[in-house]
Amino acid sequence: MKSLALLVWPGARRVASLGRRCKHTLGASPLAPHPPATTAPAAAVAEQRTRHVRDLLENVMDTAPSKRELQQFLKRYVPPPQQDSSNLRFVSTQGTAMPTPQEYVTELLTPAYTNQIALTKVAGPFQKQGWLKVGDTLHKLQKLGLSSIVVVDNPAWHEVGREQGARTMMRESMALVEAIEKAGGRAQLIFGGLLEQTTDQGKNELAINLDFVHAALNHQHIPIILPYVDNKPVKSNQVMAALTTKLATSPDPRLVPSKIVVINHRGGIPNHAHNGTTAHSLVNVQEEYDDIMRAYSPDWQYPIDDLTMVRDCLAQLSPTAASAVITPVSALPKSLITNLVTDKPLYSSSLPHQREWHRINTSRTTILRHGIKIHEYKRLDQLDLPRLTQLLEASFQRKLNQDAFYTRLERVLAGAIIAGDYQGAVLMTEEAPSVFYLDKFAIAPTSQGIGLTDILWKRMCDNFPELLWRSRKDNGVNKWYFERSSGYWRLQDTNWVLFWYGPNGYKHLHQYAGIAGNIPASFV
């Protein structure tokens, strides 16, 4: 815990609540949860609070974030320091006022109208322990800076009579409210006044009134929305899409969702490459949606409509800042806390499946991003060389020897894989007949951390099932290469490590070594 405190301390104090934006409250609702009783001894309450904090910090430490990942997490989810420091007691050696460690942790983990929102679908029903897991996870995410707006769901509500469906919906939703309060949080059930069925050009649509959501968030409550309109249940995916549309255009930027979350029994999107026996780790929706829908088998008994809902929601949000997570209740809270802190999948989709099969079955959690289009080219004159040069120099932080590099590339280029508007690139060359060399793999600094590396690497391996590349022996990326290569060889009397990918690479080691040792330098 000490290492976490040292990393999060500089400039990472949570501000107080940003004020009451809405005058509406739900306290008068007969179904609104009552304040917890205050009869428990103060010592017992303090002990319970300490246990919750310790449990939460252990969850965060279990994610094992890198320094860069933790810095990015703090930048996104921890508000800037409060300007008024009159209540601080300690002064640093530089004369800057600082809180005590206990005050710091307490204030850091105090729920507020936070600067990130997760629009979350909870698809039950669950057993009691399942509801407790969901409630505990939502409360922990709130403390870490991600407040949830929850839409509850159960397909069975649509299969029974209206009256019975309404009772079941209320009972299951209250189970979630109670689970959140048992975890130490507060929840607000919203079952009327939020949704209204309208007709626009012959289409049935949902109109959204956010007053009750504003009120709940302003009081640090987690809004729990029942998908109920005109005394009958509506599809939760329709509510999720309508809420995203309304929130994405909200004048308050704090209400724009940064995550779309689905918590269910089945977990993430079935991976058709493995006949649905495991889940996709990462989905680039723009590139993979059609393939996944075509390959879907009803035998998998998976609610594939969730993929369409996520696609529609992400299309309305920032393609770089927003993402979606579909996870089973059995993987909570680790799956969501790990993604929140590291902003990456639990398992890298670019790792060789054959070698890592024992790992990819441990969690059926899928991360989805709106993503970017991937383009493939065969000739140098098809590329925007100024944009490519800018990408390579920004990625490698060195000046490209353009004349020599492009003269060689024009002769040996086997393929170029370009992500979006030159946000990433893979340049492959053919150094001998059917011998393919990874000359450059570059990601723009502004596009790092959004899963683009895995997307490009996977596409490269699909297109070139046998390839080689080299890396300097002191390159910090080598650990990543070791995990993804089929083998490597430290070349004697050089500063190079030769890597290869593919089942037959070991048969051509001497040829590969000769190629790797003779590729000219690309940078000056």
Side-chain angles (χ1 to χ4, degrees):
M1 242 179 275
K2 184 182 293 184
S3 60
L4 175 66
L6 290 175
L7 282 172
V8 302
W9 189 275
R13 299 188 66 246
R14 182 178 301 284
V15 295
S17 173
L18 294 175
R20 311 288 196 253
R21 290 190 65 257
C22 181
K23 295 181 180 179
H24 300 277
T25 64
L26 301 179
S29 169
L31 292 175
H34 298 288
T38 57
T39 56
V45 174
E47 181 181 354
Q48 184 183 36
R49 185 181 298 114
T50 300
R51 185 168 62 252
H52 286 164
V53 170
R54 183 185 298 112
D55 184 42
L56 175 57
L57 292 178
E58 287 176 355
N59 289 151
V60 174
M61 293 303 294
D62 284 345
T63 67
S66 67
K67 184 177 180 179
R68 184 185 67 83
E69 290 168 347
L70 194 53
Q71 287 172 339
Q72 290 297 315
F73 163 71
L74 292 173
K75 182 179 178 181
R76 292 189 66 189
Y77 293 98
V78 179
Q82 193 175 8
Q83 296 300 316
D84 181 10
S85 58
S86 59
N87 63 329
L88 305 181
R89 299 195 181 95
F90 290 100
V91 178
S92 70
T93 55
Q94 290 78 21
T96 305
M98 298 178 66
T100 66
Q102 183 175 357
E103 289 172 334
Y104 175 76
V105 172
T106 299
E107 195 167 343
L108 181 68
L109 299 179
T110 297
Y113 196 148
T114 53
N115 56 336
Q116 299 290 332
I117 290 290
L119 185 54
T120 303
K121 171 182 170 180
V122 177
F126 305 114
Q127 298 295 327
K128 181 179 180 180
Q129 287 304 313
W131 286 120
L132 292 176
K133 269 191 170 186
V134 176
D136 179 62
T137 301
L138 296 179
H139 179 52
K140 286 177 177 176
L141 294 177
Q142 184 187 41
K143 280 182 166 290
L144 291 171
L146 185 69
S147 290
S148 300
I149 299 174
V150 178
V151 178
V152 288
D153 182 49
N154 179 353
W157 295 341
H158 303 271
E159 300 172 1
V160 297
R162 179 178 298 184
E163 186 175 341
Q164 183 180 348
R167 286 199 303 266
T168 305
M169 180 185 295
M170 196 68 68
R171 182 176 64 252
E172 293 173 1
S173 301
M174 284 305 299
L176 178 56
V177 171
E178 292 169 1
I180 292 171
E181 296 202 340
K182 185 168 184 179
R186 299 297 303 276
Q188 189 68 67
L189 201 62
I190 302 177
F191 59 93
L194 176 80
L195 307 173
E196 181 181 351
Q197 196 85 49
T198 63
T199 303
D200 184 13
Q201 298 180 353
K203 294 182 179 180
N204 291 329
E205 296 184 351
L206 287 178
I208 306 289
N209 181 350
L210 291 178
D211 287 349
F212 291 147
V213 173
H214 286 158
L217 293 173
N218 272 321
H219 289 84
Q220 293 85 54
H221 292 185
I222 296 175
I224 309 296
I225 298 170
L226 277 67
Y228 200 70
V229 180
D230 297 334
N231 296 320
K232 62 180 180 181
V234 295
K235 291 184 177 180
S236 59
N237 283 351
Q238 185 182 1
V239 178
M240 291 284 288
L243 276 169
T244 302
T245 301
K246 186 73 172 180
L247 294 169
T249 57
S250 170
D252 185 350
R254 296 171 299 172
L255 285 175
V256 178
S258 63
K259 288 193 182 295
I260 304 296
V261 178
V262 178
I263 300 172
N264 59 23
H265 286 285
R266 307 276 304 175
I269 306 298
N271 192 333
H272 53 278
H274 301 116
N275 199 29
T277 56
T278 186
H280 282 279
S281 176
L282 174 68
V283 172
N284 178 5
V285 176
Q286 279 205 77
E287 283 289 312
E288 300 181 68
Y289 174 82
D290 291 337
D291 290 341
I292 293 174
M293 294 299 289
R294 279 194 296 267
Y296 172 74
S297 170
D299 294 339
W300 299 341
Q301 298 181 351
Y302 185 85
I304 199 64
D305 288 348
D306 282 350
L307 175 59
T308 302
M309 178 271 290
V310 167
R311 179 200 62 174
D312 295 343
C313 291
L314 289 179
Q316 304 179 69
L317 303 173
S318 167
T320 55
S323 63
V325 186
I326 304 180
T327 188
V329 66
S330 58
L332 299 179
K334 180 178 180 180
S335 58
L336 292 182
I337 292 180
T338 298
N339 176 253
L340 178 70
V341 175
T342 65
D343 198 31
K344 66 182 183 182
L346 273 68
Y347 170 83
S348 173
S349 59
S350 62
L351 284 168
H353 292 162
Q354 297 83 355
R355 186 187 310 169
E356 302 292 336
W357 183 256
H358 65 288
R359 289 173 55 186
I360 64 175
N361 264 337
T362 59
S363 173
R364 296 184 61 88
T365 298
T366 300
I367 309 300
L368 304 98
R369 294 186 181 275
H370 180 66
I372 54 181
K373 284 290 185 180
I374 306 298
H375 309 281
E376 298 181 9
Y377 305 99
K378 292 293 186 181
R379 302 193 317 271
L380 191 66
D381 59 10
Q382 295 175 307
L383 302 175
D384 185 334
L385 297 189
R387 300 295 303 279
L388 180 58
T389 300
Q390 184 180 18
L391 168 63
L392 295 176
E393 292 184 345
S395 178
F396 288 90
Q397 295 291 300
R398 298 173 67 187
K399 184 72 174 176
L400 185 69
N401 185 351
Q402 296 186 42
D403 290 341
F405 178 72
Y406 289 127
T407 297
R408 188 185 104 81
L409 204 60
E410 187 171 20
R411 187 177 69 253
V412 296
L413 181 66
I417 305 172
I418 305 297
D421 193 17
Y422 286 82
Q423 291 149 291
V426 175
L427 300 179
M428 299 296 302
T429 62
E430 189 171 11
E431 302 297 332
S434 300
V435 178
F436 299 104
Y437 172 75
L438 170 58
D439 195 292
K440 292 292 177 288
F441 191 101
I443 304 293
T446 54
S447 299
Q448 293 178 2
I450 62 172
L452 192 53
T453 302
D454 281 346
I455 291 170
L456 285 177
W457 191 269
K458 189 172 183 297
R459 177 66 69 92
M460 177 191 73
C461 293
D462 288 343
N463 290 0
F464 299 92
E466 298 277 350
L467 62 99
L468 73 140
W469 70 97
R470 70 181 184 184
S471 176
R472 297 187 185 276
K473 292 180 179 179
D474 57 354
N475 190 344
V477 184
N478 285 347
K479 180 180 182 296
W480 197 87
Y481 288 153
F482 289 141
E483 293 175 340
R484 285 155 182 79
S485 66
S486 299
Y488 65 93
W489 185 12
R490 301 181 190 275
L491 302 180
Q492 289 186 341
D493 302 323
T494 73
N495 193 34
W496 298 112
V497 180
L498 163 67
F499 294 92
W500 69 90
Y501 173 83
N504 299 311
Y506 71 95
K507 301 176 182 178
H508 311 288
L509 285 185
H510 290 289
Q511 183 186 22
Y512 283 3
I515 291 172
N518 289 291
I519 299 292
S522 305
F523 298 94
V524 295

